[in-house]
Structure formats: structure tokens, C-alpha cells
Amino acid sequence: MSITVAGQPTQENPDQLKAFQRKISDFTQANPGVKVTGDESEFDVNTFQALVAGGKLPTVFYVPFTEMQGIIARQQAADLTGHVAADSAVKRINPSIAKVATSQENKIYGVPVQAYSMGLLYNRALFTKAGLDPDAPPKTWDEVRAAAKTLKAKAGVQGFGAMTKDNTGGWVLTTMSYAYGSKIQSDDGKQAGLNNNATRGALEFYRAVRWEDDAFGSNFLVGYDDIMNALASGKVGMIVQGADAYTTVVQSLGMKPDDFGLAPLPQAPGGLGTLGGGSVAIINPRATPEEIKAALKWIDFAWFNKYTNEQAAVADAKAVAADKLPVGAPVLPLFEQATNDRYLTWVKDYINVPREHFTAYFDSAKNLPLVPEPAAKAQESYGILDNVVQAVLTRRDADITALLDDAQKKVQTAIDAG
């Protein structure tokens, strides 16, 4: 039996690649009848359809939460319902998270393996340089704006930054719209609602920081890699991003662990909470029952074994720490808090992440509402909103209401197209 699994790091990340290869070796020892081959392919909205149509999708592949319902509707993932054991870790995943990979008929088409919530990421060293307290980050958007001005004036860096392209600008704007008090789409995914007071308020915040405070920098074509590099290298003080960025900026980009700041997403009066998302493991719809069984074993071994088996948790943490990778990085728990706390107790001797810096974020995860991404055409909506964000940041006289009216019409057209 042979399966191919996505998620293999590239040669540019040797420590992560070593850890991935070790995981394959350990799995093979425990399951000698299964041969696992790693694959570097990642989800891309522009190439996924071709991978599926051409039969080149790995046996196990990872897709964003936002894509799952479309994938289910197009039958592009195997139905796992009859293959998931009643006592498996999959069955213990938080129901509110598990539903992203479940059809309206309650059939299971994927396994959520990572979840995140958006927060305020900041450079603690820059806060200290600017005379700001890194242990007391901003709690409101007015405080974020004030801190951005201080960072610009006293540390000489861009105070606040945001992504603007490749759908990331719209993703963050949607997050901020939630924090300001409104969603950009009806819960059933049938009606666009971009032009609301909350989204306008978020864009007015952008405009003020950019044009009144001059604390938004000068580059307004910014993607994910750009903003991560800027945070890690100390070129920007604060960004809105997923808490799971810790591994990227610290392990891959060399930011000092003590410099990584993470705070709850600030809320305006009437804020709804913070956007939550994550990654789902799907199995190739052409997989045989035997391949599905082997793939589920891999998913359980690779992602969940450490949460249910103390010996496995300690062995994994010891090896990960030896590879100089983070143990205890901030993530949104997939299981109930007790399971996550038990895991942290098991691996306490190997935790190499300054979790004391993230106490407020961890506390917020218990009570700050998690608002899902738009139910329909999320990526298309984000792409359309990219243009709105760019316009506000590059044109002082940009008409925010007119921009959002136009964007709303385009998103509604996309939704109506099905």
C-alpha cells in the first residue's frame, strides 16, 4: 500500500523538512504495510481544479476552511463517513470546527488539522524601543492608532501594516469588519453585505493611519510573505494576522522568540469577535477504501497522536525541540481545553516558546467569539476587496462608500453565479 501526502517542506526549510521525514519514518515503523511519499504541493485556488481533474492530487491534501463546502459540492474529496471510527480523534474535534468539513447531510469529507484565530501581532523589541510597554499591547483601535504613531515617531519604523494583494487584503479587512461590528455576508451565504458601517469604519481607520498619521508605510502592494518578512525584520510594528504565524516568523524568518508579540484582536464597540479559519486534510476522491484507511491512519499519527498518548507526545516534543522547532507555539485548540492543557503538561519540559507573552491571547480564546469566514465565494470576495484596500491606501480622496458599493455588486454577482 502506497500513499502520497502533501505538506512536505521544501529544501529552503531544512529543519522542518528533517522533522517531516522523521515523521514519515516513525509512521512507517508503526505501519510497515504502508509506504508514504511526501509531496510539496500546496493549495492554490488557481491550480487546485487542475490537480483534481488531472488525477494528480496527493492522497492526503490540505485545503483552507473556506474551500471545503465548495469541494464537497463538487465531490472533490472522498466521503470519509464510513471510515472514521467512533472512538477516533476525529470524532473528538470541537464540533464547531468539525462542521466546516461536514456536509448538510452530516457526512464527513475532511479532517480539520489546524485552526487559528486572528490577532494583533507586534514586535516587542520595537515597542520597547518606542517606549511602549510590550506587556500591555493595544486593546482598542484608537490605541492601535496611537501606538502606530509612537512607533513611527520614536522607533522610526512603519507603525502599522496590512496585506493588500493575493486575496490577503480582503481577508484582513473582513477580520477587521468583524471586529468593528458586522459581517460582509449573510450567514447562509446568499447575500453580500460589504457596504456596512463596520467595514467603512475599518477603512476609515486605514485612511487615518495612512494619510493623517503617515504611519502605514509607502508600499501598498503587500502579500503574505512581504508582511511576514517586515514583522520579522523589525520594519513594521503591528499587523493583523493569524496567531499561527509564530512558526513562520521565528523559525523560518529568524525573528527572536522574545520579540514576537501576540495580543487579542482589538474590538470596537459592538465588535463581533475575531475571524477563525484553518486547514482541513482531505483525501483524494479516487482513493480506494484501503488507501482511505491508510490516509486516515497517517492523519491521526501526524496530527493527533500527541494529544492522546503521553509517550508519543513526549517523544514528539523531544525530537521537535532537538530539531530547534517550536514546541508550545500559539494555536487554537482543536479539542476541548482539558485535552490541550493535558498535552502541555506532558511536554512542559520541552516547551521552547515564551508562552507567558501570550497570556492575554490565550485568555481571549476562551471568551472572544470566533466568527467564521464567509460561507460562499470567500476567496473571490477577498480578491475584490483587495482593490478597495489598495484604493484607500493610494488615493487620499478615495470614496469608501462608492468603492464598497461597487465591490458589493461584484461579490453578489459571484454569489449568484453559484
Side-chain angles (χ1 to χ4, degrees):
M1 172 63 57
S2 178
I3 61 172
T4 306
V5 298
Q8 176 171 298
T10 63
Q11 295 287 346
E12 286 73 28
N13 295 288
D15 292 336
Q16 295 178 36
L17 177 59
K18 179 182 178 182
F20 183 86
Q21 292 171 336
R22 185 188 65 248
K23 189 164 289 184
I24 288 179
S25 177
D26 292 345
F27 176 82
T28 302
Q29 288 183 17
N31 300 272
V34 181
K35 178 183 178 182
V36 176
T37 302
D39 188 287
E40 295 178 0
S41 59
E42 297 179 347
F43 179 83
D44 185 315
V45 69
N46 297 312
T47 60
F48 177 73
Q49 308 301 334
L51 276 177
V52 176
K56 296 182 179 180
L57 193 71
T59 316
V60 177
F61 192 71
Y62 302 101
V63 302
F65 279 14
T66 53
E67 299 301 311
M68 272 311 301
Q69 291 305 309
I71 286 171
I72 291 171
R74 295 188 296 269
Q75 299 183 327
Q76 293 175 320
D79 182 349
L80 310 180
T81 312
H83 299 273
V84 175
D87 62 346
S88 72
V90 176
K91 287 288 190 178
R92 296 197 296 276
I93 293 174
N94 186 320
S96 66
I97 295 176
K99 70 180 181 181
V100 303
T102 305
S103 72
Q104 293 181 354
E105 295 76 31
N106 288 320
K107 290 186 176 182
I108 301 170
Y109 285 89
V111 182
V113 294
Q114 284 182 312
Y116 69 86
S117 64
M118 301 290 274
L120 182 71
L121 275 58
Y122 62 100
N123 188 307
R124 291 173 58 89
L126 290 178
F127 264 53
T128 299
K129 184 177 180 180
L132 298 168
D133 184 353
D135 293 324
K139 296 180 180 179
T140 68
W141 293 109
D142 285 343
E143 290 178 2
V144 172
R145 182 181 175 188
K149 289 192 287 187
T150 300
L151 286 160
K152 172 73 187 309
K154 296 186 177 181
V157 299
Q158 179 181 340
F160 182 84
M163 298 176 290
T164 63
K165 66 177 185 177
D166 303 330
N167 299 356
T168 60
W171 174 50
V172 172
L173 179 60
T174 298
T175 300
M176 293 187 62
S177 185
Y178 292 171
Y180 269 80
S182 288
K183 299 178 182 179
I184 67 164
Q185 188 181 106
S186 60
D187 290 341
D188 61 9
K190 295 181 180 180
Q191 185 64 49
L194 284 68
N195 196 354
N196 57 63
N197 289 336
T199 309
R200 286 194 295 272
L203 288 168
E204 289 290 358
F205 168 82
Y206 274 16
R207 173 149 58 192
V209 177
R210 162 69 173 101
W211 294 105
E212 296 178 28
D213 306 336
D214 190 26
F216 216 118
S218 57
N219 178 15
F220 304 113
L221 284 176
V222 180
Y224 180 86
D225 291 341
D226 303 318
I227 205 72
M228 292 291 95
N229 275 294
L231 181 71
S233 62
K235 294 179 180 178
V236 63
M238 297 175 290
I239 63 173
V240 171
Q241 186 60 272
D244 58 339
Y246 179 92
T247 299
T248 298
V249 296
V250 173
Q251 176 61 33
S252 300
L253 299 178
M255 188 178 194
K256 293 179 181 179
D258 281 332
D259 289 351
F260 181 88
L262 169 62
L265 186 73
Q267 299 291 299
L272 302 180
T274 185
L275 181 147
S279 180
V280 179
I282 63 170
I283 296 175
N284 191 315
R286 302 184 185 186
T288 65
E290 292 77 16
E291 288 170 338
I292 291 175
K293 182 178 179 181
L296 282 171
K297 281 187 175 181
W298 165 259
I299 294 168
D300 186 73
F301 183 89
W303 294 98
F304 305 139
N305 200 26
K306 64 184 181 181
Y307 291 104
T308 58
N309 183 301
E310 181 176 3
Q311 184 177 358
V314 172
D316 177 76
K318 183 178 181 180
V320 169
D323 289 337
K324 298 180 180 179
L325 294 172
V327 178
V331 295
L332 193 65
L334 288 172
F335 306 103
E336 74 280 0
Q337 192 65 41
T339 296
N340 191 63
D341 290 344
R342 182 182 64 182
Y343 163 74
L344 291 171
T345 299
W346 286 344
V347 302
K348 64 181 184 300
D349 292 340
Y350 301 98
I351 291 176
N352 53 14
V353 171
R355 291 176 60 85
E356 65 275 10
H357 293 335
F358 317 138
T359 301
Y361 172 80
F362 292 139
D363 288 344
S364 76
K366 301 173 185 177
N367 49 49
L368 184 64
L370 200 63
V371 185
E373 296 184 72
K377 302 289 184 176
Q379 294 300 326
E380 289 90 334
S381 299
Y382 296 160
I384 290 167
L385 283 172
D386 277 356
N387 298 322
V388 176
V389 172
Q390 290 174 21
V392 171
L393 294 175
T394 57
R395 300 204 314 264
R396 188 166 196 150
D397 62 348
D399 186 333
I400 289 176
T401 297
L403 288 166
L404 287 175
D405 273 340
D406 181 62
Q408 180 157 314
K409 292 175 184 176
K410 290 176 179 177
V411 170
Q412 189 63 54
T413 298
I415 291 173
D416 293 342

